[in-house]
Amino acid sequence: MPRRATKAMEQVLLEEPSHENALRVLAALYEEQARFNEAATLQHRLGKKREEDTSYREHHLLVAAAQSALGREDLDSAKQQLKAAQKLHESAHFFTAAAELAAARGNHRGAKERLKQALVADPALVPHLLPGLIAAEEGIAKSAGGTKRDELDEDETRKSKPMAAVDPDALEALPSGEQALVPVTSTSVRVATPPQGVALVPEPRPTSSISDRVLAVLAEVEGETGPRLEIDLIRAQLVPPTDAASQAELAKELTLRFPEAIAARVATARMAIAGVDQAAIKSALEVFVADQGALAWAMRGRWQCEHCGNR
């Protein structure tokens, strides 16, 4: 009967606000009931009483409160909870929730940047954050570029006006450092006309696929974190089966970077099987089943029938 227990602990704290056990138990009860904001408040009180740093715990509870608000589509409340959490720490949990908020507001570029920050903070999350990253890239591709404004940044509140609607006289009201950022009409600035027949932007412009863009983001993350098995395994899944050259290069990287990782060997074998090189397939499988292979212990052990020899 958690509700009755909650009321009992609340009554204890009304009569004795510094009761340590009541603070601890009530915080746990609030957390079990998804009352994360109230749980964070009690954790703060408990930390002050014990003279301990509970900011990291409070941070995660506030982020959880923001995620609950996102589930209710209460975006304003989620934003406030994330701002409170950001004052304490910035974690992969925080960046992930901030990406969810940006995606809910249609800010696909902001969602992409937050997901990238989450992956830098904890690359092991890449299998879980990959769908969100793909969705962000798809949103950017469908929109006209999206907005670069961070949902948690209150300093940047101005929105760009259409080029045809900008009044040149309004430039005088802006600081000198911001005048170059405002689009102007041809009546205010004389633009040099390019020679006829010379295109400023080549047509048609090359377009990259969603997978290529996601791979580029993962490469940027790996550039900051160093080689990571989790990222390379996702890259192996995203490389098109028809791109034999990229598959061969990635298989070589996996072998060199993570020679002892069975997951890397499995990914390499799958890429080899998808190809047509029989020698490469044999070599990749022998890594597992040869006498000194990674799974040799399973070939002649308890997984093999003593009578018929079947495995």
Side-chain angles (χ1 to χ4, degrees):
M1 294 179 288
R3 292 184 179 178
R4 186 173 297 181
T6 300
K7 290 181 179 180
M9 291 299 102
E10 290 173 342
Q11 185 63 35
V12 171
L13 290 178
L14 284 176
E15 298 179 6
E16 189 178 340
S18 61
H19 196 294
E20 183 175 335
N21 285 337
L23 286 170
R24 177 178 54 80
V25 173
L26 186 57
L29 287 168
Y30 281 158
E31 186 173 351
E32 290 176 1
Q33 298 170 45
R35 298 166 64 176
F36 300 113
N37 193 27
E38 295 166 285
T41 301
L42 289 185
Q43 285 290 342
H44 181 73
R45 290 172 58 182
L46 191 60
K48 290 182 65 176
K49 179 172 179 58
R50 292 180 174 178
E51 297 184 353
E52 296 177 355
D53 182 12
T54 58
S55 61
Y56 202 71
R57 183 65 177 166
E58 295 171 44
H59 165 81
H60 285 291
L61 289 169
L62 290 171
V63 174
Q67 290 177 310
S68 294
L70 285 170
R72 302 190 304 270
E73 298 184 358
D74 187 356
L75 304 187
D76 292 335
S77 177
K79 179 178 178 180
Q80 296 304 318
Q81 299 291 352
L82 285 176
K83 278 186 166 294
Q86 189 178 25
K87 293 178 181 179
L88 298 173
H89 293 284
E90 287 188 346
S91 64
H93 189 193
F94 163 78
F95 291 128
T96 302
E100 294 175 9
L101 174 61
R105 291 190 181 275
N107 183 0
H108 304 295
R109 287 190 180 275
K112 173 184 173 180
E113 290 303 316
R114 288 302 194 182
L115 288 172
K116 180 181 174 182
Q117 290 175 305
L119 290 175
V120 171
D122 189 356
L125 292 176
V126 63
H128 308 286
L129 301 185
L130 181 64
L133 187 59
I134 294 174
E137 290 291 0
E138 290 176 344
I140 294 173
K142 290 179 182 178
S143 64
T147 174
K148 295 183 179 180
R149 185 172 63 88
D150 194 324
E151 296 298 331
L152 301 180
D153 187 3
E154 293 181 343
D155 296 330
E156 186 179 345
T157 56
R158 291 187 301 273
K159 296 183 179 179
S160 300
K161 298 180 181 179
M163 183 172 291
V166 174
D167 184 4
D169 296 334
L171 293 176
E172 298 178 359
L174 294 176
S176 60
E178 297 185 5
Q179 293 178 7
L181 301 179
V182 179
V184 295
T185 61
S186 58
T187 58
S188 59
V189 176
R190 180 173 296 177
V191 181
T193 304
Q196 294 295 328
V198 179
L200 294 178
V201 179
E203 292 289 349
R205 286 177 288 178
T207 57
S208 57
S209 67
I210 299 299
S211 294
D212 293 336
R213 295 182 180 182
V214 172
L215 287 170
V217 173
L218 296 181
E220 294 176 9
V221 172
E222 203 168 26
E224 297 189 39
T225 63
R228 297 287 304 197
L229 177 60
E230 304 92 336
I231 295 177
D232 280 355
L233 292 177
I234 293 297
R235 290 172 56 199
Q237 296 179 27
L238 293 177
V239 172
T242 56
D243 193 347
S246 298
Q247 284 195 343
E249 181 180 356
L250 183 55
K252 182 179 179 181
E253 289 181 8
L254 284 170
T255 304
L256 293 176
R257 290 181 175 183
F258 314 102
E260 301 300 327
I262 291 182
R265 295 177 180 180
V266 170
T268 302
R270 285 177 175 168
M271 287 188 289
I273 292 173
V276 296
D277 189 345
Q278 297 299 319
I281 294 175
K282 180 181 178 182
S283 176
L285 294 180
E286 283 181 345
V287 171
F288 295 100
V289 300
D291 289 339
Q292 302 300 324
L295 300 181
W297 59 271
M299 297 304 167
R300 291 175 300 279
R302 58 179 179 172
W303 303 112
Q304 187 173 18
C305 178
E306 295 180 352
H307 304 287
C308 65
N310 289 333
R311 291 188 290 271

